[in-house]
């Protein structure tokens, strides 16, 4: 592999690992030192590899250089090293004793601790995601800006404010105690869920970036599932949900980067391996006595891996939505529940329920009403679709609504 | 918006008024869909609980008797808490409750909860 391709790839996979280990070692107050050392390591790689060629073991080379740079930093900043060796329980016989452990286990432990640090409620959900992308996923500031459809300055400020806040609050980089784990894990899962959704539902046309966001959210969730203290039912349920959703990634976006509706998807593009993994983690998730919203969402996503429209499928989806809404209301879940009701109990009953929702600022609400009235009362259907069109913002949403309106006109002609 | 408790009562005693297991099974979906409907309107505050038909009653002299239903045949079978503008809306919502229909043919009592704002 060319060094031009290799370095960005290593940056994505190794930057976050070394940063995590160093942050874990240094503590939150010295987070920039850790970042500087690792950035400097990659800078050396760029300079030296282009002159002398790529070393035999590039990852090992990065680790060794990062370790040496850390030790040099300690030598130049003896006070810092002294303070550190007193804090961390290593025998303080000198700087050389401070062990920079870049083993797989140490990397995983450091990353797990960092997940809990980054997903701290003292900073906003948006900042948690940005910080997670930066420190846990090795995303550069430009990539984060692209993901959020914003500019570098905004991301840069957001990251710095978040880091400052973590320092002021003296958030420790550690995994929570068993007693706290459920509460803390809740917040982590919300962030990972948002990170995944950012990739899955993003309006960004950059398909590769969107896939990366989903993959990173899955990797971090997987890390939690593989770690005994955090291997909780809700973690497995979230991972299952992510597997089911991403199994349709190839099918739901066409070559032009446009969204393909579920009903129009080519099922041969669904990823069978991911569906199987989803089922596996859903089974793992059932080994507990508490059901989280992720359990219900994973259940719904499971039934969507069956393309056939059966009463059994829609009845199951309806009941899962009934339960999900009792745990956590959201307009989108209410709308989807009503769609499932139409499929399971018929359009007549669903129209009565849909009229009760009154989500009058939501274009999906009018699209749902339009769908329900189609072939029942096409005049009403048209009226609702036209309201939906006036409320929709994105071109993709408008295109779908226009298609529905044309569909009604076409059936009108054929009669 | 105020909160209202809907209390479901039905006859648990008379033999002729007890639903068959098939009737009960068929009614489960009605209950689930009704609660789902309230939740979809963001009007379900608490899914409440179902109560077992048996129970104890402690009188003021601390005498304990069996069964919660001393004078009337109907006993409380369960409750939920909903959110509604006023009694009229709460009553309209309660009218869809499956307990009012066969095989239960029971009743719903609607009671406004005392909150800080309306105490």
């Amino acid at each position: 592999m060319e060094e031009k391709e290799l370095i960005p790839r290593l940056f994505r996979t190794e930057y976050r690992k070394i940063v995590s280990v160093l942050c874990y070692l240094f503590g939150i107050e010295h987070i920039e030192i850790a970042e500087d050392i690792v950035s400097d390591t990659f800078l050396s790689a760029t300079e030296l590899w282009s002159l002398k060629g790529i070393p035999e073991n590039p990852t090992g080379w990065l680790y060794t250089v990062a370790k040496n740079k850390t030790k040099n930093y300690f030598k130049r900043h003896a006070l810092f090293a002294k303070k550190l060796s007193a804090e961390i329980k290593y025998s303080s016989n000198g700087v050389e004793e401070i062990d920079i452990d870049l083993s797989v286990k140490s990397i995983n432990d450091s990353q797990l601790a960092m997940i809990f640090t980054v997903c701290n409620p003292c900073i906003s959900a948006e900042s948690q995601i940005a910080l997670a992308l930066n420190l846990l996923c090795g995303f550069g500031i430009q990539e984060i800006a692209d993901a959020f459809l914003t500019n570098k300055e905004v991301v840069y400020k957001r990251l710095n404010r978040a880091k400052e806040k973590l320092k002021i609050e003296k958030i420790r980089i550690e995994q929570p105690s068993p007693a706290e784990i459920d509460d803390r894990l809740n917040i982590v899962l919300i962030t990972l869920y948002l990170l995944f959704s950012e990739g899955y539902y993003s309006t960004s046309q950059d398909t590769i970036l969107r896939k990366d966001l989903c993959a990173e959210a899955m990797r971090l969730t997987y890390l939690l599932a593989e770690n005994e203290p955090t291997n909780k039912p809700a973690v497995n349920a979230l991972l299952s949900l992510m597997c089911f959703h991403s199994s349709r990634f190839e099918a739901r976006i066409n070559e032009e980067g446009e969204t393909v509706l579920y009903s129009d998807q080519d099922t041969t593009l669904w990823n069978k391996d991911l569906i199987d993994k989803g089922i596996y983690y859903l089974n793992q998730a059932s080994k507990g006595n508490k059901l989280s919203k992720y359990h219900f969402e994973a259940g719904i996503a499971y039934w969507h891996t069956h393309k056939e429209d059966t009463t059994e499928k829609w009845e199951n989806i309806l009941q899962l939505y009934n339960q999900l809404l009792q745990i956590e209301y959201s307009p989108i879940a209410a709308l989807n529940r009503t769609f499932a009701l139409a499929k399971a109990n018929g359009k007549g009953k669903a129209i009565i329920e849909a009229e009760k929702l009154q989500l009058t600022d939501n274009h999906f609400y009018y699209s749902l009403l339009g769908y329900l009235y189609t072939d029942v009362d096409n005049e009403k259907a048209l009226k609702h679709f036209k309201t939906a069109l006036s409320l929709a913002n994105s071109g993709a949403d408008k295109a779908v609504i226009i298609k529905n309106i044309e569909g009604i006109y076409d059936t009108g002609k054929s009669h | 918006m105020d909160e209202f408790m809907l209390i479901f009562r039905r006859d648990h005693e008379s033999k002729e008024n007890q639903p068959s297991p098939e009737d009960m099974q068929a009614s489960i979906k009605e209950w689930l869909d009704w609660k789902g409907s309230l939740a979809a309107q963001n009007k379900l505050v608490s899914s409440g609980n179902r109560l077992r038909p048996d129970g104890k009653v402690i009188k003021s002299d601390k005498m304990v008797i069996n069964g919660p239903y001393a004078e009337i045949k109907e006993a409380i079978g369960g409750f939920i808490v909903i959110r509604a503008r006023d009694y009229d809306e709460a009553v309209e919502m309660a009218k869809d409750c499956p307990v009012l229909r066969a095989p239960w043919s029971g009743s719903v009592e609607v009671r406004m909860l005392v909150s800080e704002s309306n105490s």
Side-chain angles (χ1 to χ4, degrees):
Chain A
M1 193 184 286
E2 285 291 311
E3 156 249 331
K4 264 186 232 142
E5 295 166 31
L6 181 65
I7 290 183
R9 200 174 62 99
L10 284 172
F11 189 87
R12 173 58 61 79
T13 56
E14 305 306 322
Y15 176 86
R16 56 178 164 78
K17 292 182 189 167
I18 313 173
V19 162
S20 287
V21 169
L22 293 185
C23 283
Y24 192 40
L25 186 68
F26 298 170
I28 197 78
E29 59 272 40
H30 306 298
I31 200 163
E32 276 93 2
I33 300 174
E35 289 179 284
D36 284 348
I37 290 174
V38 189
S39 296
D40 200 33
T41 303
F42 275 91
L43 196 64
S44 301
T46 313
E47 285 168 3
L48 286 170
W49 297 2
S50 62
L51 291 173
K52 297 184 180 171
I54 297 165
E56 229 169 81
N57 175 359
T59 309
W61 187 96
L62 288 171
Y63 288 3
T64 308
V65 171
K67 281 183 195 179
N68 289 338
K69 284 188 190 288
T70 309
K71 282 179 182 164
N72 286 337
Y73 185 89
F74 286 160
K75 274 182 202 151
R76 276 182 279 119
H77 301 81
L79 265 175
F80 171 65
K82 209 172 164 188
K83 187 166 162 276
L84 206 64
S85 53
E87 275 174 18
I88 54 181
K89 291 131 273 172
Y90 294 109
S91 57
S92 47
N93 294 341
V95 171
E96 300 301 321
E97 290 296 311
I98 297 180
D99 183 27
I100 300 146
D101 181 1
L102 283 162
S103 66
V104 174
K105 189 183 177 304
S106 166
I107 289 171
N108 282 348
D109 286 347
S110 307
Q111 292 210 37
L112 282 161
M114 284 291 282
I115 291 178
F116 283 99
T117 307
V118 164
C119 301
N120 192 293
C122 78
I123 53 176
S124 72
E126 237 178 12
S127 301
Q128 290 179 34
I129 296 174
L131 213 49
L133 284 172
N134 185 219
L135 294 174
L136 302 173
C137 310
F139 273 50
I141 289 180
Q142 184 64 57
E143 287 171 301
I144 301 173
D146 290 345
F148 280 114
L149 300 175
T150 179
N151 61 46
K152 279 167 86 171
E153 285 71 38
V154 171
V155 173
Y156 187 76
K157 278 186 196 154
R158 188 180 295 165
L159 287 172
N160 279 342
R161 270 201 305 267
K163 284 177 199 163
E164 277 312 307
K165 184 74 182 163
L166 291 176
K167 279 185 210 168
I168 292 166
E169 298 287 326
K170 295 196 167 61
I171 304 300
R172 296 180 68 87
I173 301 178
E174 62 187 7
Q175 288 192 49
S177 68
E180 303 172 300
I181 214 147
D182 281 331
D183 280 349
R184 297 287 308 276
L185 208 47
N186 264 343
I187 299 157
V188 170
L189 294 186
I190 290 169
T191 306
L192 294 179
Y193 182 79
L194 287 173
L195 178 57
F196 184 85
S197 302
E198 192 62 44
Y200 203 70
Y201 299 107
S202 160
T203 45
S204 160
Q205 297 289 310
D206 188 339
T207 321
I208 294 168
L209 176 67
R210 293 175 55 178
K211 271 188 200 162
D212 275 354
L213 288 172
C214 291
E216 284 301 320
M218 288 176 82
R219 183 180 64 78
L220 294 172
T221 314
Y222 180 75
L223 206 58
L224 293 169
E226 288 292 295
N227 177 47
E228 200 45 46
T230 50
N231 183 20
K232 301 279 184 176
V235 173
N236 286 280
L238 179 59
L239 192 50
S240 162
L241 170 65
M242 290 171 170
C243 289
F244 287 137
H245 275 333
S246 35
S247 74
R248 287 195 294 279
F249 215 113
E250 298 298 332
R252 65 192 284 280
I253 298 170
N254 67 16
E255 282 162 6
E256 282 80 47
E258 297 161 347
T259 307
V260 180
L261 293 181
Y262 177 74
S263 53
D264 301 331
Q265 285 174 13
D266 175 0
T267 52
T268 59
L269 293 175
W270 289 1
N271 185 323
K272 186 81 181 58
D273 284 345
L274 280 169
I275 293 175
D276 288 343
K277 283 208 176 87
I279 294 170
Y280 170 80
Y281 288 112
L282 193 54
N283 283 325
Q284 295 296 309
S286 63
K287 291 175 181 166
N289 50 11
K290 262 209 314 218
L291 292 173
S292 62
K293 71 166 190 161
Y294 310 113
H295 282 85
F296 296 117
E297 291 197 31
I300 291 161
Y302 164 75
W303 281 103
H304 277 94
T305 63
H306 299 247
K307 186 77 185 279
E308 292 280 298
D309 257 2
T310 61
T311 319
E312 187 202 9
K313 167 180 165 174
W314 288 106
E315 179 57 30
N316 274 291
I317 292 176
L318 171 63
Q319 294 312 334
L320 289 161
Y321 272 120
N322 281 342
Q323 294 176 80
L324 173 65
L325 281 157
Q326 290 183 44
I327 296 190
E328 190 180 285
Y329 168 82
S330 71
I332 198 72
L335 294 171
N336 285 332
R337 183 244 176 209
T338 312
F339 181 80
L341 188 77
K343 292 279 192 182
N345 296 10
K347 279 189 171 182
K349 284 189 178 156
I351 286 173
I352 297 171
E353 290 300 315
E355 296 283 4
K356 290 180 190 167
L357 299 181
Q358 290 302 316
L359 296 166
T360 49
D361 53 356
N362 189 323
H363 71 85
F364 291 115
Y365 178 55
Y366 289 101
S367 283
L368 174 72
L369 283 168
Y371 161 79
L372 294 174
Y373 277 112
T374 301
D375 298 332
V376 175
D377 183 338
N378 277 347
E379 221 166 285
K380 274 194 180 169
L382 270 179
K383 202 186 97 210
H384 287 307
F385 276 129
K386 283 176 183 167
T387 312
L389 193 60
S390 70
L391 290 171
N393 288 319
S394 84
D397 288 336
K398 283 184 181 166
V400 172
I401 299 166
I402 289 167
K403 216 173 141 191
N404 281 309
I405 292 175
E406 286 170 353
I408 293 176
Y409 281 129
D410 285 347
T411 40
K413 274 179 214 150
S414 64
H415 278 264
Chain B
M1 285 280 180
D2 280 308
E3 293 183 356
F4 297 83
M5 183 177 264
L6 306 189
I7 303 156
F8 316 125
R9 286 199 173 81
R10 71 171 183 97
D11 177 1
H12 286 85
E13 282 202 322
S14 326
K15 273 215 172 83
E16 68 275 16
N17 284 338
Q18 298 315 305
S20 67
E22 294 79 40
D23 287 343
M24 273 174 133
Q25 191 62 39
S27 180
I28 290 174
K29 177 173 159 56
E30 284 192 41
W31 279 98
L32 296 175
D33 286 353
W34 183 58
K35 280 195 190 180
S37 162
L38 294 173
Q41 297 168 60
N42 200 14
K43 285 180 174 166
L44 189 69
V45 178
S46 157
S47 309
N49 275 103
R50 287 159 63 209
L51 304 181
R52 290 179 53 93
D54 52 335
K56 305 277 185 192
V57 178
I58 298 112
K59 298 282 193 183
S60 56
D61 57 4
K62 295 198 178 162
M63 192 176 78
V64 177
I65 57 169
N66 282 331
Y69 26 81
E71 276 90 34
I72 51 167
K73 277 187 195 164
E74 281 194 339
I76 298 173
F79 64 89
I80 63 170
V81 178
I82 60 163
R83 195 179 290 119
R85 271 194 309 277
D86 49 29
Y87 261 111
D88 287 346
E89 194 190 26
V91 166
E92 278 312 305
M93 287 157 74
K95 279 181 183 171
D96 290 329
C97 178
V99 81
L100 300 172
R101 297 191 290 271
W104 313 107
S105 307
S107 66
V108 182
E109 183 175 330
V110 182
R111 300 283 296 271
M112 193 194 285
L113 302 193
V114 176
S115 69
E116 275 173 35
S117 60
N118 66 17
S119 58

